[in-house]
Amino acid sequence: VDARRFHQLDRASDGTLWAFGGDYKASFGVEGATYIPFLGSGAPQSYPLTFQVLEATLGGAPMALDHTALASFDGATAVFERGALQERYATRVGSLEQLFVFDRLPGNGDLVVRLRVTSELAGAATTDGLAWSNDLGGVTYSSAVAIDAAGRAVAAPTTLQDGVVELRVPAAFVASARLPLTIDPVLATYTVAATTAVELNPDIAYDNDNGRFLICWEREFSATDHDVWGEMFDPFGNPIAGSGAYIDFTGSSWTRPKCANNRAATQFLVVASLETSTTTDIWGREREAEDLTQSAQFLISSGFGNKRYPDVGGDPHPAAPSYYCVVWEREFSVGVDHDIHAQLVTTGGTLQAALINVDNSSATYDKYPSVSKSNGLAPTTNQEWNLCWNRQFSTTDWDVRGAQIHWDGALTTPSFSIDFSGAHDLLPKASTSLDLLTGPRTYAVVYQRLDGADWDIYASALRADVRIAADNLSHLWVTGSANDEEYPVVDCNGHHFAVAYQRRFVAGSGDYDIYVSGVYLAGGAFRISEGPLNLAFSGSFEGYPEMASRYSAGTISDFCGVVWYDATPTGDIEGALYELPDNFGQVNVPYCSSNNNSTGVHGALSVTGSSIRARNELVLSAWQLPTNATLFFLTSLTSGFVQNPGGAAGNLCLGGNIGRYVGPGQIQNTGGAGQASLVLDLSQHPTPNGLVSVTAGQTWRFQAWHRDTNGSGGSTSNFTDASSVLFN
């Protein structure tokens, strides 16, 4: 949408009325009417003109005025009821019409209205009226015209002296006028050079029930006044006509907007930093997914210190209660002690429970928090928002920390270290969790690391606070690994990760492009399913991608929306859809549970990798097991159920011809962590009749047997849960 041809009305949290008219914005509050011209995003500040009615006289006699009147909207016109006159401002694209309406004139003589005009722009008379300007442009104020109810008109001399505008209607016209009589100057913006708003800092979220992406971004009205715009797109990336609107266009500066979706309410929340001359806080506004209906703007952050770098996660659960999780960085001691805070927000625009001190440790410099786009699909017992952020160890060594917040606001996994190496790790991002298998769900955190002479993309896979895999993705991609690869983002489709990032085209240049890749886990290692694929390739800077999978909103889908900033002369927002390839990641289907082992829980089994037979990348993993216990994996084409076979404490979930992975190096020990894994060779698959090769179209079942102890301390055995894989 071209902002220069857009019109919108709004009401700020303090009751002030606002209008956006393309090349201006205007406010109507206790101080009077303020017109703010758009003089280009490069303007060092905004240059408002504030109009205050000083007096109205008739034949030299003052008329009774109410200087405390508040404005109200009559359609698209802001109205101050001031007693002897009605002060009206008709807002439209490209101009603001100022009207002073008199329903009664109790006397004779010249009718005069005087206005105090306050502005940093220099005022002067022109051939067409008045103007206030600087070297960027300014505001024109047309010579006023007086019009009566019969349509008769006369020029109303318009003068400016010592910051006061005087509008004078001749006594002869007043004497014969049919009431009401209106005095009617018009304000408009002009600029010295062509101006287009610079746009930056996009984010994206998806609503499942309406099938819509919301993309929000920042627009620079001036260097001290940034606005936030939001627009809807269908599941295929096509814009939805009429869906664009400002989240904020007031005189406050909203920066770094982020958005998320709440499925139960079919609603989005947009958050941003609101910067004033004295404080910076986190504010938000909710927008209904099916239309432009918006809540009032509301304050989210609380407590001492400036708050910056907000992010927000949504909830894909289809039924209430559910919330948003907003995180931010709090400055306790600038540059020395920064903290990570969070707050749940309801779909009614209120704060849920108390502030969450994610990491309130003293004398630690914690920055750049991120929260997963959602807390994952049901069951609610394992719905967690995944958080990550940077902590400075030294100026050349930043580390990555994490935490998890439950759907109801409980801090389920307190602050912990994801990476505490001597490397320089920056700008971490966390994914939505994968589908639940057993125990904590798996999620990924990606970040950029200074690896030798260039920046690479690294990833860690975690379950709660346990890192189960870590790798240099840039080296796995190979292509471009010698180039700077930066600013990664990640989300998932429930079993498979998508990672987008920016890559420098030529060393030392400012030319970056946008790439995306499919990444999955095979046991304790990351593998590449596809890519990296180029989404944007030009001679300009294209960077700062953000991503939202449709899965994060509760949709079973392989599609992810990606948006980024393109540094054209004016700054553009661009986007693309990426579809993750099938049959990668958590490829198993759990179908049978065993009994609890001596740890008090049942052994978990997962199958990760690829179900594509030709890739031969499948890994069996078992955990939640007794420590230092012997274990081996079982497989069969047939499912079954035998309770306590051979006196075992668990259940055998396989039938038919059962194969055992007991060849050289295949018998495992669970060690001190109570877990084990095995990389399969699908061409050497065990059966009672020897080794066979798995073929596409077959469904194989898997389970693990392990030694255990009974309640008396005696020896027994048990089984893990069981899962199946359909090979392609």
Side-chain angles (χ1 to χ4, degrees):
V1 173
D2 183 355
R4 299 296 295 271
R5 294 195 293 271
F6 191 77
H7 181 248
Q8 184 177 333
L9 306 178
D10 210 344
R11 181 185 296 272
S13 58
D14 64 357
T16 301
L17 305 183
W18 283 86
F20 184 87
D23 58 4
Y24 74 92
K25 58 176 72 172
S27 68
F28 311 96
V30 292
E31 73 287 348
T34 299
Y35 182 97
I36 310 173
F38 175 61
L39 301 181
S41 295
Q45 64 177 67
S46 296
Y47 295 93
L49 283 80
T50 298
F51 294 85
Q52 296 173 300
V53 177
L54 295 178
E55 64 176 352
T57 63
L58 182 60
M63 305 175 72
L65 296 180
D66 181 358
H67 294 284
T68 64
L70 298 178
S72 61
F73 274 129
D74 177 11
T77 299
V79 180
F80 293 92
E81 296 287 354
R82 298 212 181 272
L85 64 85
Q86 191 181 66
E87 183 183 0
R88 299 173 65 89
Y89 293 87
T91 70
R92 60 177 67 93
V93 173
S95 67
L96 179 70
E97 187 176 9
Q98 186 183 58
L99 305 104
F100 300 98
V101 181
F102 295 84
D103 290 322
R104 295 179 297 107
L105 291 174
N108 297 301
D110 287 357
L111 176 63
V112 178
V113 176
R114 293 186 177 89
L115 311 166
R116 170 72 65 187
V117 180
T118 305
S119 179
E120 292 185 43
L121 298 173
T126 70
T127 56
D128 299 316
L130 307 175
W132 289 263
S133 64
N134 61 16
D135 56 357
L136 299 173
V139 181
T140 61
Y141 188 89
S142 69
S143 294
V145 175
I147 307 170
D148 74 358
R152 298 169 56 246
V154 68
T158 304
T159 59
L160 173 65
Q161 185 175 358
D162 297 329
V164 175
V165 171
E166 181 182 279
L167 310 175
R168 182 178 292 269
V169 182
F173 187 83
V174 172
S176 61
R178 181 181 300 177
L179 300 180
L181 183 151
T182 301
I183 306 174
D184 184 10
V186 176
L187 291 85
T189 299
Y190 75 95
T191 57
V192 173
T195 55
T196 303
V198 172
E199 302 179 318
L200 66 162
N201 291 335
D203 196 24
I204 184 170
Y206 187 74
D207 181 76
N208 174 73
D209 291 359
N210 289 279
R212 292 182 170 188
F213 286 103
L214 172 68
I215 301 177
C216 66
W217 63 87
E218 189 176 329
R219 280 180 171 165
E220 293 187 5
F221 192 83
S222 73
T224 58
D225 182 1
H226 289 207
D227 302 324
V228 175
W229 175 266
E231 193 165 345
M232 308 280 190
F233 295 78
D234 71 18
F236 308 102
N238 301 307
I240 296 174
S243 67
Y246 279 98
I247 307 298
D248 175 80
F249 63 83
T250 66
S252 301
S253 190
W254 282 44
T255 61
R256 299 182 181 276
K258 299 293 181 182
C259 59
N261 176 259
N262 184 286
R263 182 181 179 184
T266 63
Q267 180 192 83
F268 297 100
L269 171 63
V270 180
V271 300
S273 293
L274 192 159
E275 302 178 14
T276 69
S277 59
T278 57
T279 62
T280 301
D281 281 301
I282 310 305
W283 282 67
R285 190 170 208 177
E286 291 168 340
R287 172 175 291 185
E288 301 306 313
E290 65 272 17
D291 56 32
L292 295 182
T293 305
Q294 299 187 137
S295 73
Q297 298 173 355
F298 58 94
L299 176 65
I300 296 174
S301 59
S302 59
F304 167 81
N306 288 326
K307 297 88 178 178
R308 305 184 190 276
Y309 299 104
D311 199 6
V312 57
D315 193 324
H317 198 65
S322 59
Y323 311 102
Y324 300 98
C325 180
V326 183
V327 302
W328 63 86
E329 170 190 335
R330 188 275 296 266
E331 296 176 350
F332 184 80
S333 177
V334 177
V336 176
D337 184 358
H338 292 201
D339 304 309
I340 306 300
H341 289 176
Q343 176 71 59
L344 292 197
V345 174
T346 73
T347 57
T350 61
L351 307 186
Q352 173 67 19
L355 177 73
I356 304 169
N357 291 314
V358 179
D359 195 312
N360 214 42
S361 52
S362 61
T364 56
Y365 193 32
D366 295 304
K367 289 187 71 64
Y368 312 128
S370 167
V371 61
S372 54
K373 191 57 71 171
S374 81
N375 54 23
L377 274 62
T380 56
T381 52
N382 293 84
Q383 277 188 281
E384 316 288 347
W385 284 290
N386 305 312
L387 281 66
C388 58
W389 64 92
N390 271 135
R391 173 172 291 178
Q392 186 183 53
F393 185 76
S394 74
T395 55
T396 58
D397 180 5
W398 286 75
D399 300 320
V400 179
R401 296 191 66 80
Q404 289 183 305
I405 296 177
H406 200 48
W407 74 268
D408 61 2
L411 188 62
T412 47
T413 306
S415 175
F416 68 97
S417 178
I418 295 175
D419 185 277
F420 189 63
S421 67
H424 194 34
D425 298 323
L426 289 177
L427 303 176
K429 294 279 191 174
S431 77
T432 303
S433 297
L434 302 181
D435 287 334
L436 177 66
L437 296 177
T438 303
R441 305 189 199 201
T442 301
Y443 62 100
V445 172
V446 295
Y447 43 94
Q448 65 183 64
R449 171 178 290 183
L450 188 58
D451 190 45
D454 70 301
W455 290 96
D456 287 347
I457 306 301
Y458 273 69
S460 292
L462 301 110
R463 292 194 186 106
D465 58 358
V466 177
R467 188 164 70 172
I468 62 173
D471 218 327
N472 182 328
L473 298 185
S474 294
H475 286 183
L476 294 180
W477 291 320
V478 181
T479 304
S481 61
N483 299 66
D484 286 326
E485 295 182 315
E486 304 168 1
Y487 207 93
V489 291
V490 60
D491 213 344
C492 73
N493 64 357
H495 52 87
H496 189 184
F497 299 108
V499 178
Y501 59 98
Q502 64 189 44
R503 177 190 293 171
R504 193 192 297 267
F505 182 65
V506 176
S509 78
D511 181 4
Y512 281 79
D513 304 307
I514 301 294
Y515 288 83
V516 67
S517 174
V519 178
Y520 65 99
L521 288 171
F526 282 102
R527 306 288 179 91
I528 306 302
S529 62
E530 181 179 53
L533 305 176
N534 180 244
L535 295 182
F537 186 89
S538 72
S540 66
F541 174 89
E542 290 159 314
Y544 311 134
E546 295 292 346
M547 176 186 293
S549 66
R550 290 172 59 184
Y551 169 85
S552 68
T555 306
I556 305 304
S557 171
D558 294 326
F559 282 95
C560 301
V562 186
V563 293
W564 61 90
Y565 165 71
D566 184 349
T568 63
T570 60
D572 285 334
I573 307 303
E574 298 178 349
L577 287 180
Y578 172 61
E579 183 179 15
L580 281 160
D582 293 333
N583 308 312
F584 292 91
Q586 291 184 170
V587 297
N588 58 313
V589 179
Y591 70 89
C592 180
S593 295
S594 190
N595 296 331
N596 288 353
N597 56 49
S598 57
T599 68
V601 295
H602 51 90
L605 179 85
S606 69
V607 189
T608 58
S610 173
S611 62
I612 298 175
R613 165 63 186 84
R615 293 187 70 122
N616 198 19
E617 293 178 349
L618 207 68
V619 180
L620 304 179
S621 299
W623 71 98
Q624 296 181 177
L625 301 172
T627 58
N628 302 309
T630 300
L631 173 147
F632 58 82
F633 292 95
L634 309 171
T635 186
S636 176
L637 284 167
T638 307
S639 62
F641 187 84
V642 181
Q643 190 172 11
N644 310 121
N651 306 317
L652 177 64
C653 299
L654 305 178
N657 296 321
I658 300 174
R660 295 167 173 80
Y661 287 94
V662 293
Q666 292 182 332
I667 298 177
Q668 308 284 305
N669 185 282
T670 61
Q675 60 188 35
S677 63
L678 179 66
V679 179
L680 304 188
D681 182 350
L682 300 179
S683 67
Q684 302 287 310
H685 208 62
T687 73
N689 300 317
L691 300 175
V692 300
S693 180
V694 170
T695 61
Q698 290 182 324
T699 298
W700 285 87
R701 280 83 178 175
F702 300 94
Q703 195 172 17
W705 172 93
H706 62 89
R707 289 290 184 188
D708 201 3
T709 57
N710 57 30
S712 304
S715 178
T716 185
S717 64
N718 209 323
F719 296 89
T720 64
D721 298 340
S723 293
S724 65
V725 176
L726 170 62
F727 288 93
N728 303 95

